[in-house]
Structures are given as structure tokens and as C-alpha cells.
Amino acid sequence: VIKMSDLDLQGKKVLIREDLNVPLDDDGKITSTVRVDAAIPTIKLALEKGAAVLVMSHLGRPTEGQYEDKYSLAPAVEYIAEKLDAPVRLEKDYLDGVEAKAGEVIILENVRFNEGEKADDETLAKKLAALCDVFVMDAFGTAHRAQASTHGVAKFAPVAAAGPLLVNELDALGKALGKPERPVVAIVGGSKVSSKLAVLEAFSKIVDVLIVGGGISNTFVASAGHEVGNSLYEEDLIPEAQRLRATTEVIFATDVRTTKEGFSDWSHTSKTETKKVNEIQADEEIIDYGPESAAKAAEIIKSAKTVIWNGPCGVFEFDAFAKGTEVVARAIAESEAFSIAGGGDTLAAIDKWDLADKISYVSTGGGAFLEFVEGKELPAVKILEERAKA
Ligand code: 3PG
């Protein structure tokens, strides 16, 4: 691909697609700034190169074709202006052209307010392409979507290049999945085997040890013949769990923390019990790894040379259920291995214990991270490759 870092951008209008799809609380405050923070060096580089900078992104999943306040990029605009220490303009009407001078940063309002964005509409893509001299795809987190602002625009822009964030993401993932240093350990947590099945299968072919946590571990616990009580698990996927265990070393819980409280009563101080997996009662629910399982996972992680992490080991949002995930997260942070972490919940866990600086690479991708791991082609990257060849 053509890289933005190699281009002369002096006096050029540069349109950068970022993934500013950040989580917001009810007051519109950004609750994790990982994605905006990752976009800022790209914007700064374009400014240093003398460009007039237009930035576009989606936020959330609004009804297409209509403006809605709660999906405005305004909070991200404010944050970026603060970090750049410069005025940043939010532009609502941009499809027929935007005035921009070298040194200016203009953020185009949520691209999903435009009719045709998600369908990768050609007319819309051409309008976006006409806004710039150079289009830069930098939104790794949205690279798995073939939409007008990620894919179509790259087809029609005078020049289409990859931004430094996208390049870094692809390099880091390539390092972890291409020819990784062994042993390779993957930790896959989260609630369901069904939503991570493709990832588990892909990992089973690459890794030396696969550690599963959360509801995924529960299905493996059940596959070993244990009672899982009220726990979240998927009975129909027990054969899949057994198949994975037959070909790969899969580590799942041998002891667990359980609760008898109903979901609506869960709190930071919920009462839990620790027990072996053969002691779980019908009225109990597994909500975390037990200490023995967490210590075992930590030990495996410490002897790894490459660690890939996606998904928590328990319901870590509540302190009472967070210990297993914390032990695993800290082991990853302390390990000498090349470590890469991705996915929304995983980023929230990294934030909770402030470990971002201790992990070799924190990916901004959720769905894109998983699709890459599964070995799927990212359409917004593929079009850049095609343009570079043409
Ligand atoms: C994400 O959060 O994974 C990306 O920003 C893509 O968002 P989407 O799933 O709404 O396309």
C-alpha cells in the first residue's frame, strides 16, 4: 500500500478516515479515549507535513440519513482540540465541498448521518472523494466495513493511502499471528463460544496454549462433565468445545467464583464463594475464574513469548467478580512476551487497571481485530492494495 508517511502533503487537502467511535456516558462524556488518542499522532503528522486536514468518522449506529445529537462527533472534536491545543471545527454540511487552509483541522460530522454510507453508495463515495487531494485510511477499527467512508472513497480519491495507525495495527497483528515467537498463548474470554467460534478455531491452529475465560470457559467446564448450575453456557456447543480440546491444549477453569445473587442485585460488594468445578450447585452461577485457575493462567502467560488477549475471564465490571481477569491482565502486563490485546471489553479491563503502557500493542479494533485474527480480508485495506497496484 501507499503510506501517508511517504507522501508530500504540502498544501494538499487530506481527508483522513479515523475510528472516533468512542464510548460515551449519558452526559456525552468519553469513557475511553483509546481510539481518539490513537488518531491524534496521524492528525499531527498531516499538519506537520503542511496539509489542510479533514477528518471523518462514524459514531454509533444512528438511523441513516438523519442527524441526531447523541451521535454527534462533538465530544471527540472538543477532546482533539484540547490535545492539539488548536481550534478544531466541526462541519455539518460538507458533501458539496469544504473550505480548508493548510494547518487547519476540520472534523466532518458523523458519516452515518449520510444516506448511502453503509451501502457503500457510489454517489456518496464520489462526493467524499471529491473533498480531497489525498484520502488516508487510518481507521483500523472500521477496516472490516466496506462502507462509503472506508471503501468507496478509497476507490475514487485522487490518491488513497494508509495512515500510520492502520500501518502499525497491521504490523503488530502480523507480528503476533504471522511468524510469532513461541510459545504463543491466546486468552479468549467473553460470554459466548458462539460469538467467538471462528476466533477459537483460528487460534487453535496457531497457538501453543489456548486459555478460555468467562462464559466461554463455562461451556468447556460443562464439556468436562461438570454441573454448571445457573451459569451462562451453551449446551449445543459442547461438541465444539470437545473438538477444540482434542486438537489443542485448552485451559479453562478448574476452580471458580460463584454467586447466588440475581443479575439485578450484582454490585461491587456482591457475595461470592470460591469452589472447585466439581462442587458447583444447581442454584449457583459462575461469575469469575477461581484463584487456582487464575494462577495457572498467569504462570502459562509468564513463560510465553507471544501473548494475544481478547476478552475477560469474569464479570470484571463489578469488583467482586474481577479478580480472575485482574490476575490474568497483570500477568500479561508483567510478561516479557510480545503482547497484543484487542476488543471493547478488553480495552475497558486494561483501562480499569491502567495497564495500557505495559502491553506491547493495544489494538483499537473490536470487530476488525476479531476478523483479522480469523484470517478474513479487511475490505478497506484490500482496496488500498488494489489502488497501489493500479
Ligand atoms: C467498532 O466499534 O467495532 C467499529 O467502530 C465499527 O462499528 P460498527 O460495528 O458499528 O460498524
Side-chain angles (χ1 to χ4, degrees):
V1 299
I2 297 170
K3 293 183 183 172
M4 173 187 138
S5 53
D6 294 335
L7 294 176
D8 174 10
L9 300 178
Q10 190 63 47
K12 300 263 169 67
K13 256 190 184 175
V14 177
L15 173 60
I16 307 174
R17 175 52 156 106
E18 292 292 355
D19 188 331
L20 306 179
N21 185 25
V22 288
L24 300 172
D25 66 16
D26 292 342
D27 303 323
K29 206 175 147 313
I30 300 173
T31 55
S32 165
T33 60
V34 174
R35 282 182 165 171
V36 230
D37 289 330
I40 285 170
T42 304
I43 299 172
K44 280 192 178 157
L45 179 64
L47 287 172
E48 281 162 21
K49 283 173 166 279
V53 181
L54 308 179
V55 178
M56 64 176 168
S57 175
H58 74 290
L59 179 91
R61 294 176 175 173
T63 310
E64 206 171 89
Q66 80 194 39
Y67 175 87
E68 223 183 312
D69 259 344
K70 71 169 180 182
Y71 294 111
S72 169
L73 286 171
V77 171
E78 199 182 308
Y79 183 84
I80 292 170
E82 216 175 90
K83 290 283 157 173
L84 294 176
D85 197 17
V88 174
R89 193 168 92 227
L90 175 62
E91 189 69 60
K92 275 192 187 149
D93 295 312
Y94 51 83
L95 290 178
D96 296 318
V98 182
E99 292 279 335
K101 291 196 269 311
E104 274 187 327
V105 180
I106 296 159
I107 299 191
L108 311 183
E109 187 54 285
N110 194 339
V111 289
R112 287 190 182 163
F113 292 157
N114 300 322
E115 203 82 63
E117 166 63 14
K118 286 198 284 195
D120 200 8
D121 176 70
E122 220 174 274
T123 310
L124 176 60
K126 283 181 177 161
K127 282 193 173 186
L128 294 172
L131 299 176
C132 65
D133 302 306
V134 176
F135 167 67
V136 174
M137 176 60 188
D138 204 35
F140 173 75
T142 326
H144 59 315
R145 304 281 183 227
Q147 300 180 345
S149 69
T150 60
H151 173 265
V153 62
K155 238 177 4 193
F156 302 114
V159 177
L165 171 62
L166 179 65
V167 170
N168 286 343
E169 294 265 7
L170 296 173
D171 283 353
L173 281 164
K175 191 170 164 187
L177 300 167
K179 283 206 176 85
E181 257 201 90
R182 294 195 178 273
V184 182
V185 174
I187 302 102
V188 180
S191 52
K192 288 185 180 162
V193 172
S194 52
S195 60
K196 299 272 174 85
L197 195 54
V199 175
L200 293 168
E201 265 163 15
F203 276 145
S204 73
K205 298 191 185 91
I206 303 169
V207 304
D208 297 290
V209 185
L210 178 59
I211 299 173
V212 294
I216 296 176
S217 167
N218 299 348
T219 298
F220 280 81
V221 170
S223 82
H226 300 294
E227 159 85 69
V228 292
N230 284 330
S231 310
L232 175 67
Y233 87 111
E234 292 166 295
E235 194 175 2
D236 53 327
L237 287 167
I238 287 176
E240 293 291 345
Q242 280 162 340
R243 212 169 43 74
L244 285 163
R245 284 172 60 203
T247 56
T248 310
E249 185 180 354
V250 183
I251 302 292
F252 51 94
T254 52
D255 68 336
V256 291
R257 287 193 181 80
T258 63
T259 185
K260 288 181 184 168
E261 285 178 17
F263 172 74
S264 53
D265 294 325
W266 289 357
S267 73
H268 289 306
T269 53
S270 280
K271 218 168 128 321
T272 65
E273 275 184 61
T274 299
K275 46 181 64 189
K276 301 272 191 232
V277 288
N278 59 5
E279 298 165 350
I280 300 163
Q281 304 298 314
D283 61 344
E284 287 180 306
E285 178 169 3
I286 303 170
I287 33 72
D288 195 10
Y289 258 21
E292 174 189 285
S293 307
K296 172 95 194 279
E299 190 191 303
I300 293 168
I301 289 163
K302 276 180 188 152
S303 57
K305 288 280 193 317
T306 304
V307 176
I308 310 162
W309 178 28
N310 172 262
C313 292
V315 191
F316 73 96
E317 293 85 344
F318 297 101
D319 291 346
F321 314 148
K323 289 198 192 73
T325 304
E326 179 173 8
V327 168
V328 166
R330 290 197 187 279
I332 297 169
E334 280 158 25
S335 118
E336 303 278 304
F338 177 74
S339 54
I340 178 161
D345 283 345
T346 312
L347 295 196
I350 290 169
D351 264 357
K352 181 168 174 125
W353 295 294
D354 201 14
L355 299 172
D357 293 344
K358 301 201 177 89
I359 291 169
S360 314
Y361 196 83
V362 178
S363 175
T364 55
F369 177 86
L370 295 177
E371 289 199 17
F372 189 96
V373 168
E374 287 165 26
K376 285 197 190 145
E377 217 158 49
L378 302 177
V381 174
K382 188 160 176 245
I383 184 73
L384 297 179
E385 289 166 356
E386 284 169 11
R387 288 285 320 256
K389 272 190 234 138

